[in-house]
Amino acid sequence: MRKTKFKSLVMFLIVFISAFALFAQGSGEKAAAENTSGFEDPVLNIAVFGGGYGDEYWYQIVEMFEEAYPGVTVNMQISPTIGQIITPQIAAGDWPDFMCCNGNDTQGLITTMKREKAILDITDVFDSPALGEEGVTLREKMMPGLLDSRKYAPYGDGRIYFAPFNCGPTGLVYNKTLFEKNGWELPKTWDEFYALGEEAAQQGISLFTYPGIYPYYWEHMLIAAITAHAGVDAINAIMSYEENSWDNPEVREVLEEFVRMAQGYVLPGSEALNHTQSQSELMMDHALFISTGNWVESEMADAPRTEGFVFAMAPAPCVSEDETSYIRNDGDTFIIPAEADNTELAKEFLRFLYTDESVKLFAEKSNGVYATADALELVEGIVSDGVYGMYSVNNQPGVNAVVAVLDAVPDGCNVVPMDVIWNPVPDVLAGRMTIDQWIDQIESAYAEIRSYM
Amino acid sequence: MSRKNFQRNIFISFSIIPPLLITLVFLAIPAVRAFCLSFTDANMIGIGGTSFTGLENYRYMFSDQVFMKAFRNTVILLIVVPLITITVSLILSEILHRGNLREAGFYRVVFFFPSIISLTVVAIVWSFIFHPTMGLVNSMLDFLHLSQMKRSWLGTAETALGSIAFTLVWQAAGYYLVMILAAMTSINNDYYEAATIDGAGWFRQFVYITLPEVKNIIIITIILSMSGTLNLSFTLSTIMTNGGPNNASLVLLKYIYNQGMTNGNFGYSMAITVFTLLFSIILSIAVQKLQRREEAV
């Protein structure tokens, strides 16, 4: 009796171990067809951030690429937490050939890669002809001025390391229908904003709500507001941790205008809300504006809303009437790791992603807009009215776009700049912290960052 | 060696080797590696070279205001939460043990429920209970005509950590109740009968009979509750407040995560990890020492 038990235990272990071995092997590569693509190495390994835009576009574009280049096989890993999945692979020396990265890099992988210069220079891709178009370089096909930004050319030498995916406006999101119903005009200056706030208050509607749990959402509005008043150079100084970049009279004026919000213009309780809860408050018309991005429509697709609710986007407030309004633009990116095995095929895949077919497919499957110059014309009628309307704000007369992201902090520096800048906002708006204390805190963190440069 | 003995040994090795290997590979080696990494400036992807920086990470730690805040919050939780949790568990189990309630079984199940629910779910549910506009807490205050006490519990620096502590107590009290209740049921009923004859009331019986009899289990549950609080505070702080407002509810484990996973600073985050580990070891040794001293008295 005991012997049989022992035998069955051994059998169980054998079966378990072999099943484990099989499983471990099972995740290997697909079988390749005959290679007539013209590329020596026909296997492309890609890692894709699969967030609010869903997976469908990626599965289909990979299929289209494999069809257009017979013999090529694309192995794709796609997940909302792709950073966590590929970090251990990278640490073991196994780099993907191509990566699609989340714009705000919640897993820190891209920040680290940027800091360690582990990303391939892809300037040559943008200077080469665009696929399927005669005499046009890829650079000319992109949204004008975009590639000069430090988001895509992060080292200030004009060389491009990040390729734009879906760069779109982020700023003040509001309900177009509510404005039309009440005959309200979009305010331009801070004074007009607060005047509108008084008017809305009579109907029990607050001027702003915000996700106090993630206060960095304010960057969508404040970066543009600072740019409008203090200029592009001032915002670039902030993004590269320059001394007195926050302790600048013009920046201070914008912050003072911003903090006027604490005089009853913020929906009570906002400081305890997360992003979806605060966006829900907007969609129930409890507040007029929220600082967020163009992805809000797909993110909140299933959330309840007031009748006729239509998402719309407004540029940030200006200090005076004669200033140019600014709207911040941001989005996800593509990179090719410097250590990738198959950089040639990865570059070709990148070119392929910018073809008109791909741009339309992305609009159709993900309700998103590529960062190419004519993308908005191509996707008219394919994307929803809300998304089309929000992207159109970039084309409004008198509105300029600004793309600004914080530089990676130097190696060995332990400061988390996003936290230092934005975490105090709930305290500032609650009167527990003054603007001076806020600025001092940022300036001393910046000084620490500079000491590592 | 007889054949039977040989088989026995084989079976024991089969049983011991896999867990030993797993412990070694996934626990012991990473722990040693973490300890070594804490003396370097390693980043998350192991590129760009790693250099030995000695005690620099530890020196920096004590000048880092965010770390000090996270440490202070963690210490507060580690003192307050186990104390309240075990007190609540003790009172509830005494009621169940001596109360002769007909529904005792039902209460036991109900109290135990929170500890089998996923902690993420607990965090989401409680963040809605504390919700400033549609939350249960504020609605109840309205109902009780106490509207002046309404606030955004998770968004105010003074109440955010307290709200997390409350959720931790709610989540864990039922679990320790079952452990303490098990110890209480093994107390000889004669003691109580004798005490009743001598005229001792419920409170004196609790203090002079129940408490001394379950003292050991109380010490064990306090240590368990401390390690539980250290672990679970990460999930609650991440989901309910994201460490905010302005780090008012940031805890050590969350700061380790922020430094390691958001900032990619493995070296520094490992230094905080080692500190946290040492701190919790010292704390549990202290509690055990306290128990021994009590026993000696």
Side-chain angles (χ1 to χ4, degrees):
Chain A
M1 184 66 191
R2 189 171 279 179
K3 206 168 175 183
T4 10
K5 265 193 183 164
F6 177 70
K7 264 190 181 166
S8 45
L9 180 79
V10 173
M11 279 305 287
F12 172 75
L13 278 174
I14 291 171
V15 171
F16 180 75
I17 291 167
S18 25
F20 184 76
L22 265 179
F23 175 75
Q25 213 174 24
S27 58
E29 276 114 47
K30 300 178 211 164
E34 197 190 343
N35 177 19
T36 54
S37 63
F39 288 93
E40 211 172 290
D41 181 356
V43 179
L44 184 71
N45 295 310
I46 68 172
V48 176
F49 164 69
Y53 286 117
D55 300 352
E56 219 182 320
Y57 162 74
W58 284 101
Y59 284 111
Q60 204 149 335
I61 197 72
V62 160
E63 210 170 283
M64 281 164 64
F65 185 66
E66 285 175 337
E67 267 168 32
Y69 297 82
V72 163
T73 306
V74 179
N75 297 312
M76 176 166 67
Q77 299 185 78
I78 182 164
S79 163
T81 52
I82 191 70
Q84 281 171 11
I85 294 171
I86 61 172
T87 300
Q89 298 171 7
I90 289 175
D94 184 10
W95 291 84
D97 297 315
F98 175 92
M99 293 162 68
C100 169
C101 329
N102 179 359
N104 59 19
D105 187 30
T106 41
Q107 279 115 31
L109 175 62
I110 311 306
T111 312
T112 312
M113 286 177 70
K114 186 157 84 174
R115 186 162 74 190
E116 301 297 337
K117 301 204 164 50
I119 301 168
L120 191 73
D121 178 352
I122 47 173
T123 318
D124 59 329
V125 179
F126 287 93
D127 288 332
S128 69
L131 281 187
E133 276 168 74
E134 292 284 317
V136 180
T137 64
L138 203 49
R139 188 188 286 272
E140 288 160 348
K141 200 179 152 75
M142 305 308 293
M143 270 167 69
L146 199 62
L147 294 173
D148 303 328
S149 131
R150 285 175 82 95
K151 182 173 171 85
Y152 305 105
Y155 305 120
D157 54 1
R159 309 293 296 176
I160 301 162
Y161 291 81
F162 288 81
F165 175 15
N166 55 345
C167 196
T170 74
L172 290 174
V173 170
Y174 65 98
N175 175 10
K176 200 174 168 187
T177 314
L178 182 67
F179 273 67
E180 282 168 0
K181 205 170 71 188
N182 289 290
W184 289 328
E185 291 280 314
L186 263 188
K188 184 181 177 188
T189 63
W190 286 99
D191 287 337
E192 290 168 12
F193 260 90
Y194 292 122
L196 177 65
E198 302 289 345
E199 219 172 301
Q202 290 168 7
Q203 298 192 29
I205 305 175
S206 298
L207 183 59
F208 286 97
T209 182
Y210 76 102
I213 291 187
Y214 305 115
Y216 57 80
Y217 270 74
W218 275 120
E219 71 172 347
H220 302 303
M221 181 193 85
L222 269 179
I223 285 178
I226 292 172
T227 314
H229 187 57
V232 176
D233 289 341
I235 204 72
N236 285 339
I238 285 176
M239 295 298 146
S240 43
Y241 313 114
E242 281 178 26
E243 194 176 355
N244 294 332
S245 53
W246 283 90
D247 196 5
N248 161 345
E250 286 172 322
V251 173
R252 193 181 282 268
E253 275 164 30
V254 175
L255 296 183
E256 275 160 8
E257 293 288 355
F258 169 65
V259 173
R260 273 168 70 188
M261 206 175 279
Q263 298 158 11
Y265 293 102
V266 180
L267 179 74
S270 294
E271 64 276 14
L273 302 179
N274 66 24
H275 57 305
T276 49
Q277 287 170 336
S278 57
Q279 284 158 193
S280 285
E281 296 288 347
L282 178 94
M283 292 166 72
M284 298 313 289
D285 286 346
H286 295 157
L288 287 187
F289 295 102
I290 189 167
S291 168
T292 185
N294 58 75
W295 56 83
V296 63
E297 182 171 333
S298 37
E299 187 171 58
M300 303 301 286
D302 301 323
R305 60 199 73 198
T306 52
E307 211 182 318
F309 187 98
V310 176
F311 281 109
M313 178 90 66
C318 300
V319 173
S320 70
E321 191 64 46
D322 52 353
E323 281 170 4
T324 308
S325 296
Y326 270 83
I327 183 99
R328 180 172 180 266
N329 274 245
D330 196 12
D332 304 334
T333 54
F334 305 126
I335 54 170
I336 300 175
E339 300 280 329
D341 288 333
N342 200 353
T343 54
E344 283 314 303
L345 193 54
K347 285 178 178 176
E348 191 65 15
F349 184 64
L350 180 60
R351 286 190 194 97
F352 188 79
L353 291 178
Y354 290 124
T355 56
D356 289 354
E357 292 73 35
S358 163
V359 170
K360 283 185 197 162
L361 184 72
F362 181 56
E364 185 192 326
K365 299 294 178 196
S366 309
N367 199 18
V369 185
Y370 256 90
T372 53
D374 58 354
L376 205 56
E377 289 164 38
L378 281 174
V379 302
E380 189 175 358
I382 305 178
V383 291
S384 70
D385 290 348
V387 166
Y388 187 81
M390 282 194 276
Y391 273 81
S392 308
V393 73
N394 274 340
N395 303 342
Q396 268 177 26
V399 177
N400 281 0
V402 56
V403 180
V405 286
L406 287 163
D407 286 355
V409 293
D411 217 0
C413 175
N414 298 325
V415 177
V416 188
M418 284 288 272
D419 287 356
V420 174
I421 298 172
W422 302 113
N423 279 359
V425 173
D427 275 355
V428 173
L429 289 183
R432 283 188 295 265
M433 197 177 194
T434 63
I435 293 179
D436 285 334
Q437 288 168 326
W438 185 18
I439 289 177
D440 287 349
Q441 189 178 317
I442 301 176
E443 284 292 344
S444 65
Y446 272 27
E448 189 181 330
I449 294 172
R450 284 195 304 274
S451 72
Y452 286 86
M453 283 176 175
Chain B
M1 199 184 343
S2 73
R3 190 178 157 76
K4 208 170 171 183
N5 253 342
F6 177 71
Q7 278 186 355
R8 211 176 110 86
N9 287 345
I10 291 251
F11 174 75
I12 291 174
S13 336
F14 254 119
S15 311
I16 290 177
I17 289 172
L20 198 72
L21 273 179
I22 291 172
T23 315
L24 208 68
V25 173
F26 293 109
L27 211 79
I29 297 176
V32 172
R33 219 175 115 73
F35 185 71
C36 298
L37 276 178
S38 73
F39 299 107
T40 67
D41 62 354
N43 62 45
M44 78 191 315
I45 48 178
I47 51 174
T50 298
S51 44
F52 181 77
T53 54
L55 290 172
E56 171 57 26
N57 284 331
Y58 292 91
R59 188 203 60 76
Y60 181 85
M61 204 155 77
F62 292 101
S63 63
D64 180 359
Q65 288 307 311
V66 185
F67 167 80
M68 293 312 284
K69 213 165 184 176
F71 181 48
R72 192 193 68 118
N73 291 342
T74 309
V75 170
I76 293 178
L77 285 182
L78 282 181
I79 293 171
V80 172
V81 172
L83 222 67
I84 300 181
T85 309
I86 303 306
T87 312
V88 170
S89 304
L90 257 174
I91 295 172
L92 289 178
S93 42
E94 175 68 5
I95 294 172
L96 288 181
H97 172 51
R98 308 262 294 144
N100 287 328
L101 299 172
R102 248 195 315 165
E103 317 81 8
F106 172 73
Y107 288 134
R108 232 176 7 225
V109 172
V110 170
F111 290 144
F112 193 66
F113 258 148
S115 39
I116 53 170
I117 305 173
S118 143
L119 197 69
T120 312
V121 176
V122 169
I124 294 171
V125 168
W126 276 93
S127 63
F128 275 99
I129 292 177
F130 287 123
H131 193 288
T133 54
M134 54 190 221
L136 202 62
V137 177
N138 280 350
S139 308
M140 270 165 65
L141 288 173
D142 267 340
F143 180 75
L144 298 170
H145 302 288
L146 292 170
S147 302
Q148 72 280 4
M149 285 176 71
K150 272 171 58 178
R151 61 197 71 228
S152 57
W153 301 95
L154 297 175
T156 312
E158 293 79 24
T159 52
L161 193 67
S163 308
I164 288 178
F166 185 87
T167 312
L168 277 168
V169 171
W170 177 86
Q171 191 273 340
Y175 180 71
Y176 299 114
L177 173 142
V178 172
M179 291 174 79
I180 294 171
L181 191 60
M184 281 184 181
T185 38
S186 65
I187 301 174
N188 193 339
N189 219 20
D190 296 350
Y191 297 161
Y192 292 111
E193 280 169 15
T196 313
I197 293 168
D198 290 345
W202 171 83
F203 184 72
R204 289 180 73 122
Q205 291 184 18
F206 177 68
V207 173
Y208 291 108
I209 301 172
T210 315
L211 274 187
E213 287 292 316
V214 296
K215 204 176 74 191
N216 281 343
I217 196 84
I218 291 178
I219 299 291
I220 292 169
T221 46
I222 284 183
I223 294 175
L224 282 179
S225 170
M226 280 196 319
S227 87
T229 304
L230 193 68
N231 279 329
L232 307 184
S233 59
F234 169 75
T235 315
L236 295 191
S237 159
T238 305
I239 297 173
M240 291 170 72
T241 61
N242 196 33
N246 204 6
N247 304 327
S249 59
L250 187 73
V251 290
L252 279 179
L253 261 62
K254 169 92 176 116
Y255 191 50
I256 291 171
Y257 180 86
N258 285 356
Q259 280 292 351
M261 296 299 165
T262 315
N263 219 20
N265 271 329
F266 272 22
Y268 185 45
S269 76
M270 291 310 151
I272 310 174
T273 312
V274 170
F275 173 83
T276 311
L277 182 73
L278 288 179
F279 176 70
S280 44
I281 290 175
I282 290 172
L283 218 60
S284 50
I285 290 177
V287 174
Q288 274 171 335
K289 276 259 155 70
L290 214 69
Q291 176 203 14
R292 297 233 172 87
R293 220 176 57 184
E294 293 257 311
E295 270 170 8
V297 168

